[in-house]
C-alpha cells in the first residue's frame, strides 16, 4: 500500500473510490462540495438524503457512480462537530474510509478531509496512521486467510500539499505499533523471553542501536532478587533487555522507558482459577511490546535525545522451584519484599528494572505495564491509568496522549494506602488490600525510584480488544507506542 499526498482537488481526482470527510456543519453542501455534487448529477446529495447522513463521527455511506465518471464509487465519512475535530478524529475517519474501500474492493482510494488545526503535516500524518493501522490484519496463525488480503493499493490524500516527511513519520510510528500488536497477539509458546530479546536484537541490528542482554547470572550479580524470584520456576531463562538509542549528536536529554515483560503469567502458586482469563495471559508483556515498538519507531525518527528501552522479561510459572507465598525477596536496591501473592509478579520484575533505569542517570523514567485488574475495574478497557508525583512529567505524558488520541486518566498516589503494604517481617508486602489495588501497586513501584522524575502507566485494559474499534482491529492494539513516541519527540523539540 502506498500513500500519495498532493494538492489534487477532489474535483479532479480519478480512481476507484472517492470518500469525503464531512462534519455535521458541512450539510447542507456548499462550496467545493456543492460543485462536486453538481458534477456527479446530484448523486452526493442523493446519497446523504437516502441514508439520512448527518456527519456523525465514524458514520459512513457509499454508492456507485454511473459509467464514464472519474470515480467508480463515491462515499462519505462523518467527522462530528466541526469545532470538535482533532487529529484523532481524522485518524478514525481514515480508518473508517480505508475499511469501506477494502469492503468495496477498491484498489485506489481518494480521501478528502478538512485540515486539522491548519496543519497540513499533522493532517497527513494522522490520515496515514489511521488508514495503515485499520488495514493491518494479523492472520499469521490461520491456515486460510478468510478475510483475504487488502485490495487497497494506493491511498491519495487530496487537497493537501506534498508531505513526504509526515508520511515517513507515520510509517515509522505504524511500524512500531504493528510490532507491538503482533508481539501481544502471538501465543506464549512463540513469544518467550528469548523472543523478546531476539526482537530487541533485530531492532538493534536494523537501526544501529546498542543492546545489552543480561543473563540470569549477571542479574544475580546485580542483586535482582525480585525479578529472579518471579523467573525461577520457568524452564525458560529470563532475559533482561537493555536497548539504547543514541542520537548522532550530543543528546539534549536522557530518558528511560521500562516495559513489563511477562510473556506468560500463570499466577504462580496463587494460580489463576477458572474464569480468571488465564488463557489471555500471553498479553502480560504488553508493556514490553510497547517499549520495543517505541524503540523501532524512535530509531527511524532519530530525535536528539538518548533513550534507554528496558524490560525484565520472564515467565511466571509453577514448579518445585517456584517462589512461595510468604517468601522474602531482596531487590537490587536492598529493599526486602514479603511475597503474599505470587500473582502480583509484574511489580516484582519492574522493581529491579526501575532500579536499573535510575542508575543510568536518566532525566525521566516512564514505565508501562499490564499491572492490575483493579485499573480495568476503575477505568474500563479503553483507558489506562497514569500515576506520578511529578507534575511536569505527568503533564508531558498527558499532552502526548492528547495528540495521539490514546486515553489516560491520572489517578492519585495516596500515601496513606501504603499502610496496606506494610509487612511484619520485611520492608513491604507485594500486595495490599483489594480496595485501591492499582494505587497500592503504583506505591509499591515508587519504592524503587528515589529522585528521578517518574510516571507509571497501568495499561492492563487497552492493550487488547475483542472487537474492531476505531483504527484497532480485534487482538493486540499496540497501545502506548504512539504516546511514548510523541513524548520522546516532544522532549527532543523542547530542548
Amino acid at each position: 500500500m502506498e500513500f500519495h499526498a498532493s494538492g489534487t482537488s477532489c474535483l479532479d481526482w480519478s480512481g476507484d473510490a472517492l470518500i469525503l470527510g464531512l462534519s455535521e456543519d458541512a450539510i447542507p453542501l456548499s462550496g467545493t462540495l456543492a460543485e462536486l455534487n453538481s458534477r456527479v448529477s446530484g448523486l452526493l446529495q442523493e446519497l446523504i438524503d437516502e441514508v439520512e447522513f448527518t456527519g456523525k463521527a465514524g458514520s459512513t455511506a457509499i454508492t456507485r457512480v454511473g459509467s464514464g465518471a472519474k470515480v467508480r464509487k463515491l462515499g462519505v465519512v462523518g467527522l462530528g462537530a466541526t469545532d470538535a475535530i482533532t487529529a484523532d478524529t481524522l485518524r478514525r475517519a481514515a480508518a473508517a474510509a480505508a475499511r469501506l474501500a477494502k469492503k468495496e474492493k477498491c484498489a485506489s482510494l481518494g480521501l478528502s478531509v478538512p485540515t486539522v488545526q491548519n496543519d497540513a503535516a499533522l493532517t497527513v500524518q494522522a490520515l496515514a496512521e489511521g488508514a495503515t493501522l485499520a488495514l493491518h490484519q494479523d492472520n499469521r496463525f490461520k491456515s486460510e486467510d478468510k478475510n483475504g488480503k487488502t485490495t487497497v493499493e494506493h491511498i491519495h490524500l487530496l487537497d493537501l500539499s506534498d508531505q513526504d516527511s509526515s508520511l515517513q513519520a507515520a510509517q515509522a510510528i505504524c511500524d512500531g505499533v504493528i510490532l507491538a500488536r503482533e508481539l501481544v497477539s502471538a501465543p506464549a509458546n512463540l513469544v518467550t523471553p528469548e523472543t523478546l530479546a531476539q526482537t530487541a536484537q533485530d531492532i538493534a541490528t536494523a537501526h544501529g542501536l546498542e543492546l545489552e542482554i543480561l543473563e540470569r547470572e549477571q542479574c544475580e550479580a546485580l542483586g535482582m532478587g525480585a525479578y529472579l524470584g518471579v523467573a525461577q520456576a520457568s524452564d525458560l531463562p529470563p532475559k533482561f533487555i537493555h536497548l539504547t538509542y543514541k542520537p548522532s549528536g550530543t543528546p539534549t536529554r536522557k530518558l528511560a522507558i521500562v516495559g513489563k515483560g511477562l510473556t506468560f503469567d500463570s499466577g504462580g502458586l496463587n494460580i489463576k482459577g477458572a474464569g480468571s482469563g488465564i488463557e489471555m495471559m500471553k498479553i502480560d508483556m504488553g508493556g514490553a511490546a510497547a517499549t520495543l515498538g517505541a524503540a523501532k519507531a524512535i530509531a527511524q525518527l532519530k530525535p536528539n535525545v538518548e533513550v534507554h528501552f528496558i524490560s525484565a522479561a520472564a515467565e511466571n510459572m509453577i514448579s518445585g522451584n517456584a517462589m512461595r507465598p510468604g517468601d522474602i525477596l531482596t531487590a537490587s536496591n536492598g529493599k526486602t519484599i514479603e511475597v503474599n501473592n505470587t500473582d502480583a509478579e509484574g511489580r516484582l520484575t519492574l522493581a529491579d528494572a526501575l532500579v536499573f533505569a535510575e542508575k543510568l542517570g536518566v532525566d525521566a523514567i516512564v514505565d508501562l505495564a499490564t499491572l492490575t485488574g483493579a485499573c480495568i475495574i476503575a477505568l474500563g478497557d479503553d483507558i489506562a491509568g497514569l500515576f506520578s508525583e511529578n507534575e511536569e512529567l505527568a503533564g508531558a505524558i498527558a499532552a502526548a496522549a492528547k495528540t495521539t488520541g490514546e486515553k489516560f486518566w491520572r489517578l492519585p498516589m495516596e500515601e496513606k494506602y501504603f499502610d496496606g503494604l506494610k509487612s511484619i517481617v520485611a520492608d513491604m508486602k507485594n500486595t495490599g488490600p483489594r480496595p485501591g489495588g492499582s494505587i497500592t501497586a503504583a506505591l509499591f513501584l515508587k519504592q524503587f525510584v528515589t529522585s528521578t522524575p517518574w510516571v507509571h502507566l497501568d495499561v492492563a485494559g487497552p492493550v487488547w480488544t475483542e472487537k474492531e474499534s476505531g483504527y484497532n482491529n480485534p487482538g493486540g492494539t499496540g497501545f502506548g507506542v504512539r504516546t511514548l513516541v510523541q513524548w520522546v519527540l516532544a522532549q527532543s523539540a523542547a530542548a
Side-chain angles (χ1 to χ4, degrees):
M1 182 176 62
E2 295 182 4
F3 286 91
H4 314 270
S6 71
T8 301
S9 169
C10 61
L11 297 172
D12 301 322
W13 184 78
S14 60
D16 288 330
L18 172 62
I19 298 181
L20 310 166
L22 301 186
S23 68
E24 294 170 356
D25 301 336
I27 303 168
L29 302 176
S30 62
T32 300
L33 294 175
E35 184 176 349
L36 176 63
N37 182 56
S38 177
R39 292 191 183 188
V40 294
S41 303
L43 188 61
L44 177 57
Q45 185 65 57
E46 183 179 321
L47 172 64
I48 290 171
D49 293 341
E50 182 175 341
V51 301
E52 298 181 345
F53 183 84
T54 63
K56 179 181 178 182
S59 59
T60 60
I62 196 165
T63 188
R64 177 178 286 278
V65 182
S67 60
K70 288 186 175 182
V71 296
R72 183 162 59 90
K73 296 196 173 183
L74 180 65
V76 289
V77 58
L79 303 177
T82 299
D83 58 3
I85 294 175
T86 65
D88 203 54
T89 305
L90 299 190
R91 282 190 199 93
R92 293 174 179 273
R99 288 197 180 102
L100 186 58
K102 177 182 176 180
K103 181 181 178 181
E104 297 292 323
K105 302 187 184 305
C106 296
S108 60
L109 165 64
L111 185 57
S112 178
V113 302
T115 302
V116 67
Q117 300 174 17
N118 293 317
D119 189 334
L122 177 61
T123 300
V124 166
Q125 182 174 331
L127 294 174
E129 287 176 5
T132 300
L133 296 177
L135 292 177
H136 167 249
Q137 295 286 330
D138 187 2
N139 297 316
R140 291 170 295 165
F141 308 113
K142 295 183 178 181
S143 59
E144 294 183 11
D145 183 356
K146 296 179 182 179
N147 293 323
K149 294 182 179 179
T150 176
T151 56
V152 182
E153 298 173 358
H154 297 275
I155 297 180
H156 298 258
L157 308 180
L158 306 176
D159 304 295
L160 291 162
S161 58
D162 189 17
Q163 296 286 343
D164 284 346
S165 60
S166 297
L167 291 176
Q168 290 167 4
Q171 185 59 61
I173 291 167
C174 290
D175 284 349
V177 174
I178 290 170
L179 172 63
R181 283 181 174 185
E182 294 188 346
L183 286 171
V184 170
S185 294
N189 61 324
L190 294 182
V191 173
T192 65
E194 175 62 36
T195 306
L196 293 183
Q198 184 58 55
T199 300
Q201 181 63 71
D202 293 343
I203 295 170
T205 300
H207 302 290
L209 275 61
E210 298 176 6
L211 177 64
E212 177 184 30
I213 302 293
L214 302 181
E215 304 295 344
R216 188 191 303 271
E217 295 75 14
Q218 294 165 292
C219 294
E220 288 173 348
L222 292 172
M224 295 183 178
Y227 166 44
L228 295 177
V230 175
Q232 67 191 35
S234 176
D235 291 337
L236 301 178
K239 301 287 181 180
F240 191 98
I241 300 165
H242 177 205
L243 182 65
T244 306
Y245 161 79
K246 292 183 178 180
S248 56
T250 302
T252 54
R253 299 201 78 197
K254 290 176 64 175
L255 310 172
I257 297 172
V258 180
K260 175 184 170 184
L262 268 294
T263 58
F264 189 76
D265 176 24
S266 69
L269 292 178
N270 290 112
I271 191 168
K272 295 177 183 293
S276 66
I278 189 172
E279 73 281 359
M280 286 302 300
M281 284 302 101
K282 65 180 184 178
I283 74 169
D284 216 14
M285 36 63 69
T291 298
L292 292 173
K296 185 171 185 178
I298 288 166
Q300 297 176 68
L301 295 170
K302 302 186 184 306
N304 193 36
V305 290
E306 183 175 309
V307 190
H308 297 263
F309 305 92
I310 297 164
S311 182
E315 284 189 320
N316 185 26
M317 298 296 282
I318 298 172
S319 75
N321 196 41
M323 67 176 177
R324 297 161 287 257
D327 283 359
I328 295 177
L329 308 176
T330 303
S332 49
N333 65 347
K335 290 187 180 290
T336 57
I337 306 158
E338 178 188 0
V339 179
N340 64 336
N341 189 336
T342 63
D343 194 21
E345 82 301 327
R347 65 197 69 184
L348 297 173
T349 66
L350 286 170
D352 283 323
L354 289 170
V355 172
F356 183 92
E358 188 166 39
K359 288 181 178 179
L360 297 171
V362 295
D363 298 302
I365 301 171
V366 174
D367 83 69
L368 67 165
T370 50
L371 204 62
T372 67
C375 201
I376 301 176
I377 297 301
L379 300 177
D381 292 327
D382 296 330
I383 305 171
L386 187 158
F387 300 83
S388 183
E389 293 182 332
N390 186 285
E391 296 298 324
E392 182 179 356
L393 182 55
I397 295 295
K402 184 176 181 180
T403 298
T404 64
E406 293 187 317
K407 297 179 180 180
F408 293 86
W409 189 263
R410 191 172 179 184
L411 293 167
M413 298 279 284
E414 180 58 55
E415 285 293 340
K416 180 182 177 183
Y417 289 4
F418 187 75
D419 290 346
L421 292 171
K422 290 181 178 178
S423 167
I424 295 173
V425 295
D427 293 331
M428 70 196 86
K429 297 182 288 188
N430 69 325
T431 61
R434 187 175 180 85
S438 58
I439 298 174
T440 53
L443 291 171
F444 177 90
L445 295 178
K446 180 187 172 185
Q447 310 310 306
F448 303 93
V449 182
T450 57
S451 59
T452 306
W454 161 72
V455 160
H456 162 58
L457 305 175
D458 192 329
V459 298
V463 299
W464 181 271
T465 183
E466 290 290 333
K467 57 185 179 180
E468 181 183 292
S469 176
Y471 32 78
N472 290 324
N473 294 311
T477 62
F479 184 90
V481 172
R482 292 184 298 113
T483 294
L484 291 172
V485 172
Q486 180 62 34
W487 171 61
V488 170
L489 293 177
Q491 293 298 297
S492 178

